[in-house]
Amino acid sequence: GAVVSQHPSWVICKSGTSVKIECRSLDFQATTMFWYRQFPKQSLMLMATSNEGSKATYEQGVEKDKFLINHASLTLSTLTVTSAHPEDSSFYICSVPTHGPYEQYFGPGTRLTVT
Amino acid sequence: SQKIEQNSEALNIQEGKTATLTCNYTNYSPAYLQWYRQDPGRGPVFLLLIRENEKEKRKERLKVTFDTTLKQSLFHITASQPADSATYLCAPSAAGYNKLIFGAGTRLAVHP
């Protein structure tokens, strides 16, 4: 499998500011990474597919200008929540799919609270 | 549209018993079905993957079945332990397609 880290593990920010979340694949070169969001007591909702060296692909209903994704290397993808609002408060998790049947390895998640 | 259903109610069982969780899907023809475990405040952890041509797969105390006619997968934990308490998520996926859509998950509580 792949070992995936995220930073920070939690962050509190004021409404209107931007927050960057990093996702690192520590032992696997990831041309693709996924970003999910999870609200309390709900399942993971796929937000976007991060593609190394090209633009991210966003799921329907996810604002690409609000959730900026950059995948500049095979080991790092970043998600920037721009002009954050309280409704953006959530648990953000990234994952790395491995080869073959594509089981995914998840990061530990980042808890974002917007005040 | 594609739909994945897992028991939304928590499953409470006694330690030592077998836990059985259900995943039903509609408007799907997945080539694989994956199961993950998620603990509170943590990212999901991959457990098992079963292919459409496999009826059953085992890993230690875990067993997964995949019935493409019924469009259903069952996930069993035998000799359950309190440490097995978590939310279990299923995710059917198409061949050659690595994007996963998860079910809502079933919370399992194993009581001593």
Side-chain angles (χ1 to χ4, degrees), chain B residues 23-91:
Chain B
C23 175
N24 295 299
Y25 57 90
T26 54
N27 299 324
Y28 248 118
S29 292
Y32 312 105
L33 196 142
Q34 303 183 31
W35 284 88
Y36 291 78
R37 166 185 173 142
Q38 186 176 26
D39 291 285
R42 309 289 295 271
V45 174
F46 171 74
L47 295 175
L48 276 170
L49 178 150
I50 187 167
R51 292 172 167 78
E52 61 179 337
N53 61 353
E54 296 176 314
K55 290 204 180 303
E56 179 180 300
K57 195 142 188 194
R58 294 174 184 261
K59 179 182 175 183
E60 298 173 353
R61 293 184 296 112
L62 308 180
K63 184 179 85 171
V64 171
T65 62
F66 192 8
D67 189 325
T68 55
T69 301
L70 291 178
K71 295 185 180 295
Q72 180 181 80
S73 175
L74 299 179
F75 177 81
H76 306 272
I77 305 176
T78 58
S80 60
Q81 305 165 1
D84 295 325
S85 299
T87 296
Y88 291 85
L89 307 166
C90 74

Side-chain angles (χ1 to χ4, degrees), chain A residues 8-12 38-40 90-92 109-113, chain B residues 41:
Chain A
S9 55
W10 60 270
V11 58
I12 301 172
Q38 188 174 35
F39 292 106
S90 189
F91 191 51
Y92 291 87
T110 296
R111 173 76 58 193
L112 170 64
T113 301

Side-chain angles (χ1 to χ4, degrees), chain A residues 13 17 20 22 25 31 33 37-38 46 49-50 53-54 56 66 70-71 83 85 104 107-108 110-113:
Chain A
C13 71
T17 62
K20 181 186 283 188
E22 293 184 348
S25 176
T31 55
M33 293 185 183
R37 180 167 53 180
Q38 188 174 35
L46 179 65
T49 303
S50 174
S54 65
K66 181 170 183 61
N70 185 279
H71 193 152
S83 187
H85 288 99
Q104 293 189 16
T110 296
R111 173 76 58 193
L112 170 64
T113 301

